[in-house]
Amino acid sequence: MTYRPILLSAVYFLFAFGALAQSSIEPQRIYLSGKDAGAPQLWDFRVSDGLKANQWSKIPVPSNWEMQGFGTLNYGHDHRKKEVKLGDEIGEYKTNFSLPKRANNQRLKLVFEGAMTDTEVKVNGKSAGEKHQGGFQTFSYDITDLVKWGRENQLEVTVSKRSSNESVNKAEREADFWIFGGIYRPVFLEILPEYHFTRIALDAKANGTIQGLVTLNQVPKSGKVTVEIKDLTGKSLGSLSSPISGDSVWVSGSFPQAKTWSPEKPNLYTGEFAFISEGERLFVKSERFGFRTVELRPKDGFYVNGVKTIFKGVNRHSFHPERGRALSEQDHLTDVLLMKEMNMNAVRMSHYQPDTRFLELCDSLGLYVLDELTGWQDGYDTLVGPKLVQELVLKDANHPSVIAWNNGNEGGWDFYNEQGFHDLDIQNRPVLYPWLLKNEVDTHHYPSYKEGIQRLSNGSDIFVPTEILHGLYDGGHGAGLDDFWTDYGANPLSAGMFLWVFKDEALLRPDRGSRYDTDGNHAPDGILGPNNEKEGSFFTIKEIWSPIQILPMAVTPEFDGRIRVQNAYQFANLNESQLRWSVKKLDRWGEPSTIHVQTISLPDAVPGETKVVQLEMPEQWERGDYLELSAIGIHDEELYTWTYPIREAQQMTDKVLGEYRRIARSPLKLSESDGLLTLTTDERRYVFDMKALYLREIWVKDSLMAFAQASETVEGITSEKIKSSYDWNSNGSVTVTFEFKPYPNYIRWTVFADGKLKMEASDPKSRIKEVDFLGIGFDLQESKVKSVKWIGDGPYRVWQNRRKGVEFGIWEKAYNDTQTGYSYDQLIYPEFKGYHANLYALKLELDGVDLIVRAQTPGLFFNLFQPIYPEDSSPGVKPPFPKSDLSFLYTIPGIGTKFHRADEMGPQAQKTSTVSRAQDEGYPIVLWFDFN
């Protein structure tokens, strides 16, 4: 990062302030810090304690000083630990700035967008005003009479990390998130003309009506306030005016041609407000806004623009692994775009007011926002609380994205402070209490599936859990979302949900050798890694929350091209979107090719409606291997891409990989010794342990393979070994049979004279209750594994309750040991280890030889190794794995969350029981093995 020096040259001032020397009727902003943390300015700085204590040096502003190697860094729970030092240092800042000469009684404001936590300001040695308390709000001082106009001035800022108000400390600093110190948001001067507005508050409704409250710093003898409404191209919709009769003026009017704002179509307008006296424009200020109506209809739902709204939301901390809460323009933009990519339409500000720029991007790109007053599990008192409510509302009220206020979090509130929201917000937006049933909305946190008596989906009130599916490590988020979303969607009182949380808060700590730290299991709970690494749940959410849905279907060579498409938008017609579809062909282990592609417009369908769409299948399309359907949204963006294999595993692998043929140069040889049965071909040797009942060794060209059947062959249950036998077949092959009970009845290994190897394990022929997984396991020497390529669902691993978000194709990944939310020094995605779905064939690259496995059984899972879970994993996010290194399975377990076991999180996460009759034509596990 390049820092620009704060000392500005005379030439700079000539250009920067030359215009300001003339009286301007618009507010003029001069940054004393950088405009954001991506391009900060250097100020003089020293800190009273901790690292680099009591020595003047330079610090970038904005920044959190701990992330620049100053002071003491703490997580919010550290106050509970007697052995941990709590940072309570004080930071002193100094910088100089120059001003042009004052013109026509101009006023000067000094604005801080955020400083943690108590802030005291001096200009030229004199106090700018009372100490500000609260680390997340914007505050300002009128310093008109403290500065030297046309000369250089000195700014001194003292920031105390710990507040002298204990309610501030409890609300902000004794919390379940990282806590910092310093001036971490921009600082700027605002030069205003003598007459100006002190507030513009807007309420623009979906029907085009608008009213605005304008307050004035002083009242002229006569005058008026006018406002001209323009779209973003500059085209005027018309003007309004109202006479000035006091220090507050209401303006109102109607613009029926105005387009509404919504996350799907975030139409914005600019209101150009003018302060006019005796025909002269004294002050002009522009305000950006959107026409939209927010209603909370009790016992019904949230309505935006008259449409019932379902929140597809996530909680978001302001976070960067190297800068803490100090963010750049790119940080904000990236976060919003990633949320939109996941087909989210809402974000909750957890647990504090965000940067202004983030809200501007939510306005322009389209996200609903729950804006929150800080208070993790303790609230502000009634002394400082009303002041902070006022700062929150006055700063954020005109953003159309802000559709509700949160008065704290999980007990972090004082009910008295709620009144400030109602007094100040002319839009009268709902006030929510995250985790509470209050104000006719149930926001209960972390419910299990079907939980609650007269609550949530069993209740009589609007419900929208403002935290749900806690994604610790790889648990939650996508896992369980399908069940919850289906259940909630069946209830007209559901207003959606907000997942916890957007990103892992893993700090790259300068005080610990630049090592990542999540404070144990307190902060690794994101859908994304700290550097925006996409975890598997990212794609599950993207599929489930896609506003265009392809309803379930089967594709076979006889498929007639008819599909059902559902409009899951809330405002848009389906005919504003498209469907791109193609037929793909696999070529052994190479890249797939496209043999047909077409983009079609979708039919007229209002939100919630399903239409049948006809794909005109080309001649001989069935020569392809899978069908790919991409939903293209109303802004030409890819919403999600689904894939459908055209044939089942055996037919597909025979077609793609060729029939499994090898020329036998000599007959198969058999020998027995000490309970070992050895079958030898020209280049291969298979050694079966007839006492322990497993394939013990495989030799290729006199080299021992790093692969063999596990001695404990059966995965998922305790299975009794019964007996072994072998038989010569008429084609010169030998079948070795191992018998077990209750599962499998048999495992048959057939070795052919040409070296082919086939395994068949019977399907369950008796009742087996509640297994986590069931199948056959193999040993695989991990140190020999380089990569895996497979035909099946991918590229991410799955859980039984997170099957969505993976698609059929050919996938490849190099070996890695990524442990989601834990191994931050080397996060490589997709993770190598874990369960994978719908196996057709796989190729493992080992040292010196490739292992190729073809599946003949539909719907098989395979598992690679056992991911390591941190010691502080809660039971819900520590699911069981087979003991063997490579397993082929009928079923796999679900995964839970930080607070719930998998079986508490919905039907898909339940353990599996078999059903069978002896005469059933079942699906044995049939695998073919080859070694190249």
Side-chain angles (χ1 to χ4, degrees):
M1 181 180 299
T2 302
Y3 301 129
R4 292 175 293 174
I6 190 62
L7 296 177
L8 302 177
S9 69
V11 174
Y12 177 88
F13 278 107
L14 178 64
F15 286 99
F17 301 122
L20 301 182
Q22 307 299 318
S23 178
S24 173
I25 62 172
E26 295 181 293
Q28 305 293 316
R29 181 174 293 191
I30 306 165
Y31 280 92
L32 302 183
S33 71
K35 288 187 177 182
D36 63 21
Q41 297 280 7
L42 292 177
W43 290 15
D44 293 327
F45 178 73
R46 73 174 176 185
V47 70
S48 64
D49 196 12
L51 296 177
K52 301 181 185 177
N54 298 313
Q55 48 184 290
W56 282 101
S57 56
K58 299 288 186 181
I59 194 170
V61 180
S63 71
N64 288 123
W65 66 56
E66 300 87 349
M67 302 311 294
Q68 304 301 321
F70 295 92
T72 302
L73 179 59
N74 290 111
Y75 195 81
H77 288 328
D78 285 354
H79 73 281
R80 302 173 178 175
K81 305 172 184 177
K82 294 181 180 180
E83 72 280 8
V84 176
K85 177 183 177 180
L86 294 180
D88 60 357
E89 63 268 16
I90 297 171
E92 298 175 74
Y93 294 82
K94 290 182 183 180
T95 190
N96 295 331
F97 63 94
S98 293
L99 287 172
K101 290 182 179 181
R102 188 182 186 189
N104 299 328
N105 297 316
Q106 289 172 317
R107 308 298 299 180
L108 184 65
K109 284 174 60 178
L110 173 63
V111 181
F112 291 80
E113 292 203 29
M116 298 175 175
T117 301
D118 284 3
T119 306
E120 298 171 90
V121 179
K122 289 182 179 180
V123 177
N124 296 326
K126 295 181 180 180
S127 173
E130 67 176 18
K131 173 172 59 181
H132 183 269
Q133 296 179 310
F136 296 101
Q137 265 74 8
T138 294
F139 57 96
S140 64
Y141 299 97
D142 188 323
I143 61 171
T144 306
D145 299 329
L146 299 179
V147 297
K148 302 169 185 177
W149 293 86
R151 297 167 60 187
E152 189 173 74
N153 297 268
Q154 185 180 61
L155 173 63
E156 298 172 275
V157 186
T158 301
V159 180
S160 301
K161 191 155 75 170
R162 190 163 182 86
S163 177
S164 59
N165 181 302
E166 276 305 307
S167 77
V168 174
N169 293 321
K170 289 184 177 297
E172 299 183 8
R173 308 198 66 78
E174 297 178 3
D176 190 8
F177 47 80
W178 290 105
I179 54 176
F180 301 96
I183 303 171
Y184 68 103
R185 287 175 178 165
V187 182
F188 59 86
L189 299 172
E190 188 174 48
I191 298 180
L192 299 163
E194 179 182 7
Y195 288 89
H196 56 266
F197 304 138
T198 56
R199 183 191 182 194
I200 298 173
L202 292 173
D203 184 13
K205 299 294 189 184
N207 62 4
T209 61
I210 183 172
Q211 64 173 346
L213 171 63
V214 181
T215 59
L216 316 175
N217 73 317
Q218 54 182 311
V219 181
K221 292 180 181 179
S222 65
K224 62 181 179 179
V225 171
T226 65
V227 56
E228 183 177 11
I229 306 300
K230 300 178 180 179
D231 65 20
L232 296 191
T233 70
K235 180 181 178 181
S236 177
L237 275 67
S239 300
L240 307 169
S241 71
S242 185
I244 295 173
S245 57
D247 62 3
S248 62
V249 179
W250 286 90
V251 294
S252 61
S254 180
F255 300 91
Q257 72 273 41
K259 298 178 181 179
T260 56
W261 182 96
S262 73
E264 295 171 13
K265 297 181 180 180
N267 297 299
L268 292 173
Y269 293 87
T270 298
E272 186 179 281
F273 287 79
F275 187 154
I276 299 175
S277 179
E278 298 180 349
E280 181 183 358
R281 286 157 61 98
L282 303 179
F283 182 61
V284 175
K285 185 178 182 182
S286 295
E287 197 76 15
R288 187 163 287 188
F289 67 96
F291 287 90
R292 62 102 180 91
T293 301
V294 177
E295 302 171 86
L296 176 62
R297 300 181 185 176
K299 312 296 182 184
D300 187 354
F302 278 88
Y303 282 76
V304 175
N305 305 337
V307 175
K308 181 176 280 192
T309 294
I310 306 299
F311 299 121
K312 303 174 181 179
V314 70
N315 288 265
R316 185 245 190 188
H317 273 295
S318 299
F319 176 79
H320 188 277
E322 297 180 54
R323 291 187 259 105
R325 305 269 179 254
L327 302 182
S328 70
E329 164 82 11
Q330 188 59 53
D331 296 331
H332 297 306
L333 178 61
T334 297
D335 283 2
V336 173
L337 291 177
L338 285 167
M339 292 174 197
K340 297 289 287 186
E341 187 180 347
M342 283 187 278
N343 294 313
M344 293 176 171
N345 67 2
V347 57
R348 175 190 171 205
M349 300 295 94
S350 52
H351 298 287
Y352 38 79
Q353 187 177 28
D355 295 67
T356 298
R357 186 57 184 151
F358 182 78
L359 293 181
E360 290 174 348
L361 289 167
C362 291
D363 293 341
S364 62
L365 296 174
L367 283 175
Y368 294 124
V369 174
L370 304 187
D371 206 352
E372 187 154 307
L373 182 71
T374 313
W376 179 59
Q377 289 188 349
D378 289 284
Y380 297 118
D381 61 25
T382 55
L383 176 65
V384 73
K387 299 176 184 176
L388 298 178
V389 170
Q390 178 175 331
E391 290 170 347
L392 171 64
V393 175
L394 293 186
K395 172 177 170 287
D396 293 347
N398 288 341
H399 291 283
S401 58
V402 176
I403 52 86
W405 307 106
N406 290 343
N407 187 19
N409 167 73
E410 297 186 359
W413 46 68
D414 189 302
F415 294 137
Y416 173 86
N417 293 333
E418 179 186 332
Q419 189 59 41
F421 292 102
H422 303 298
D423 292 342
L424 293 164
D425 181 15
I426 69 170
Q427 296 183 26
N428 196 29
R429 277 164 279 218
V431 178
L432 307 182
Y433 286 82
W435 210 4
L436 208 60
L437 170 54
K438 186 172 172 62
N439 294 348
E440 300 180 289
V441 181
D442 191 350
T443 62
H444 184 73
H445 284 183
Y446 304 118
S448 57
Y449 186 78
K450 288 292 187 185
E451 186 175 35
I453 298 173
Q454 290 300 307
R455 297 291 298 275
L456 302 168
S457 60
N458 301 315
S460 303
D461 293 286
I462 301 164
F463 65 97
V464 53
T466 40
E467 293 178 27
I468 197 171
L469 295 171
H470 193 296
L472 179 62
Y473 305 130
D474 198 29
H477 289 319
L481 178 60
D482 196 28
D483 281 335
F484 274 85
W485 196 246
T486 300
D487 179 47
Y488 286 9
N491 191 321
L493 292 175
S494 171
M497 62 180 63
F498 289 81
L499 302 170
W500 186 268
V501 61
F502 180 61
K503 186 184 298 188
D504 287 350
E505 284 199 82
L507 280 178
L508 196 62
R509 295 186 60 158
D511 60 337
R512 295 188 180 177
S514 294
R515 298 285 293 181
Y516 282 102
D517 182 16
T518 58
D519 198 60
N521 68 7
H522 291 136
D525 39 22
I527 305 166
L528 297 146
N531 296 293
N532 300 320
E533 299 90 348
K534 295 176 181 178
E535 300 173 7
S537 285
F538 184 97
F539 300 95
T540 306
I541 297 164
K542 181 179 175 73
E543 177 178 2
I544 294 171
W545 282 354
S546 171
I548 295 176
Q549 291 288 325
I550 309 298
L551 298 190
M553 64 178 184
V555 175
T556 68
E558 292 76 37
F559 175 60
D560 63 2
R562 290 165 57 86
I563 64 174
R564 293 177 299 153
V565 183
Q566 183 183 62
N567 182 359
Y569 280 110
Q570 294 176 10
F571 298 93
N573 195 297
L574 192 63
N575 62 16
E576 301 176 59
S577 304
Q578 296 178 307
L579 186 72
R580 184 175 61 240
W581 64 280
S582 59
V583 179
K584 300 284 188 176
K585 186 176 186 297
L586 296 172
D587 182 12
R588 300 185 65 83
W589 296 103
E591 289 292 320
S593 58
T594 301
I595 63 174
H596 179 80
V597 63
Q598 186 177 357
T599 299
I600 61 174
S601 296
L602 289 171
D604 176 84
V606 298
E609 192 174 3
T610 298
K611 286 290 182 72
V612 174
V613 174
Q614 179 69 57
L615 307 181
E616 298 299 332
M617 308 304 291
E619 288 187 18
Q620 299 183 331
W621 72 272
E622 68 276 7
R623 291 186 178 182
D625 297 308
Y626 63 96
L627 183 67
E628 184 176 270
L629 303 178
S630 296
I632 309 301
I634 59 176
H635 301 293
D636 294 324
E637 76 279 29
E638 184 264 351
L639 300 173
Y640 191 74
T641 297
W642 294 265
T643 55
Y644 305 87
I646 294 171
R647 50 189 58 80
E648 291 189 349
Q650 183 177 10
Q651 293 77 20
M652 177 83 79
T653 56
D654 284 349
K655 174 182 178 298
V656 172
L657 300 180
E659 291 189 24
Y660 199 167
R661 293 178 178 175
R662 190 178 302 276
I663 298 173
R665 297 194 183 105
S666 58
L668 185 66
K669 299 176 182 178
L670 182 151
S671 64
E672 294 182 83
S673 176
D674 298 326
L676 299 180
L677 175 67
T678 301
L679 298 172
T680 305
T681 69
D682 292 328
E683 297 180 340
R684 303 179 186 187
R685 185 162 75 250
Y686 302 102
V687 180
F688 296 88
D689 191 321
M690 305 300 282
K691 294 180 179 178
L693 277 63
Y694 73 106
L695 173 57
R696 178 171 172 170
E697 294 175 1
I698 300 172
W699 294 78
V700 177
K701 294 183 178 179
D702 296 322
S703 295
L704 180 64
M705 284 283 296
F707 168 80
Q709 191 175 4
S711 57
E712 295 299 324
T713 297
V714 181
E715 295 287 7
I717 63 170
T718 301
S719 189
E720 181 183 354
K721 300 173 181 179
I722 304 301
K723 66 177 183 179
S724 63
S725 60
Y726 68 88
D727 294 288
W728 283 94
N729 302 312
S730 59
N731 61 2
S733 64
V734 172
T735 297
V736 180
T737 303
F738 301 135
E739 296 181 30
F740 306 82
K741 66 177 184 181
Y743 168 79
N745 292 135
Y746 62 82
I747 296 177
R748 295 190 183 118
W749 287 99
T750 301
V751 179
F752 295 85
D754 59 7
K756 294 195 302 285
L757 180 65
K758 177 185 177 183
M759 186 206 78
E760 178 178 321
S762 72
D763 57 300
K765 296 298 184 184
S766 60
R767 180 76 166 169
I768 301 173
K769 294 186 177 181
E770 295 191 340
V771 293
D772 290 305
F773 43 79
L774 186 69
I776 306 300
F778 295 83
D779 289 334
L780 186 63
Q781 191 172 338
E782 188 169 343
S783 63
K784 302 289 187 181
V785 178
K786 294 181 177 180
S787 68
V788 64
K789 182 178 282 192
W790 75 103
I791 300 171
D793 288 355
Y796 279 80
R797 67 186 183 190
V798 298
W799 308 100
Q800 189 69 281
N801 56 346
R802 196 184 77 191
R803 292 288 307 277
K804 291 191 173 182
V806 293
E807 294 300 327
F808 183 83
I810 183 164
W811 309 103
E812 183 175 14
K813 51 188 173 184
Y815 174 86
N816 64 73
D817 198 19
T818 294
Q819 311 298 335
T820 290
Y822 182 58
S823 57
Y824 290 106
D825 292 329
Q826 196 175 22
L827 281 182
I828 301 171
Y829 282 95
E831 306 101 324
F832 191 83
K833 298 179 178 180
Y835 298 106
H836 301 75
N838 196 25
L839 175 66
Y840 278 51
L842 69 81
K843 180 168 70 170
L844 277 164
E845 183 186 5
L846 309 176
D847 278 349
V849 68
D850 291 341
L851 165 64
I852 297 174
V853 184
R854 302 187 193 197
Q856 192 171 312
T857 309
L860 275 187
F861 299 91
F862 72 94
N863 178 67
L864 279 167
F865 301 112
Q866 301 84 27
I868 298 171
Y869 286 88
E871 293 182 2
D872 53 16
S873 298
S874 59
V877 294
K878 203 171 184 178
F881 279 90
K883 294 179 181 179
S884 54
D885 305 311
L886 174 62
S887 306
F888 300 93
L889 306 164
Y890 286 113
T891 187
I892 61 173
I895 192 170
T897 70
K898 185 174 185 177
F899 302 119
H900 294 291
R901 302 186 312 272
D903 61 2
E904 299 175 294
M905 300 309 290
Q908 293 182 37
Q910 303 307 304
K911 294 185 178 182
T912 301
S913 297
T914 66
V915 293
S916 65
R917 299 285 294 175
Q919 291 80 24
D920 283 337
E921 295 180 2
Y923 292 94
I925 295 178
V926 180
L927 304 171
W928 291 82
F929 298 84
D930 192 11
F931 311 95
N932 290 340

